[in-house]
C-alpha cells in the first residue's frame, strides 16, 4: 500500500498495447496540477520511447 501511495498506480495494463493511464487517480497525489503533470510526464516518456526530443512551449 505504501508503494502505491508514493509511486502511484501502474500506467499500463498487461495484454493491452498502447494504453496508458494518466490523471489524478493514476498518480500518488490527487488534484488538477497532478493530473496535468501526469499527462506531461506520459508525453515525455513517449517521446523518449520514440527517440524524439521532448520540448515545451509557453504561450
Amino acid at each position: 500500500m505504501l508503494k502505491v501511495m508514493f509511486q502511484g498506480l501502474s500506467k499500463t495494463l498487461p495484454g493491452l498495447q498502447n494504453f496508458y493511464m494518466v490523471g489524478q487517480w493514476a498518480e500518488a497525489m490527487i488534484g488538477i496540477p497532478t493530473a496535468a503533470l501526469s499527462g506531461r510526464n506520459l508525453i515525455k516518456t513517449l517521446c523518449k520511447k520514440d527517440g524524439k526530443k521532448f520540448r515545451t512551449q509557453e504561450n
Side-chain angles (χ1 to χ4, degrees):
M1 183 66 173
L2 284 176
K3 180 181 177 186
V4 172
M5 286 176 47
F6 291 107
Q7 295 180 351
L9 300 172
S10 174
K11 310 298 185 285
T12 60
L13 293 175
L16 191 57
Q17 291 183 336
N18 298 320
F19 172 85
Y20 301 93
M21 185 169 73
V22 298
Q24 67 183 18
W25 299 109
E27 299 297 329
M29 301 189 68
I30 60 172
I32 303 250
T34 302
L37 187 59
S38 177
R40 180 185 188 276
N41 289 340
L42 173 62
I43 297 300
K44 188 174 182 180
T45 299
L46 293 175
C47 285
K48 184 176 182 178
K49 180 179 171 184
D50 290 343
K52 296 183 180 180
K53 184 177 179 180
F54 175 74
R55 294 182 287 174
T56 60
Q57 176 180 341
E58 290 186 27
N59 291 328

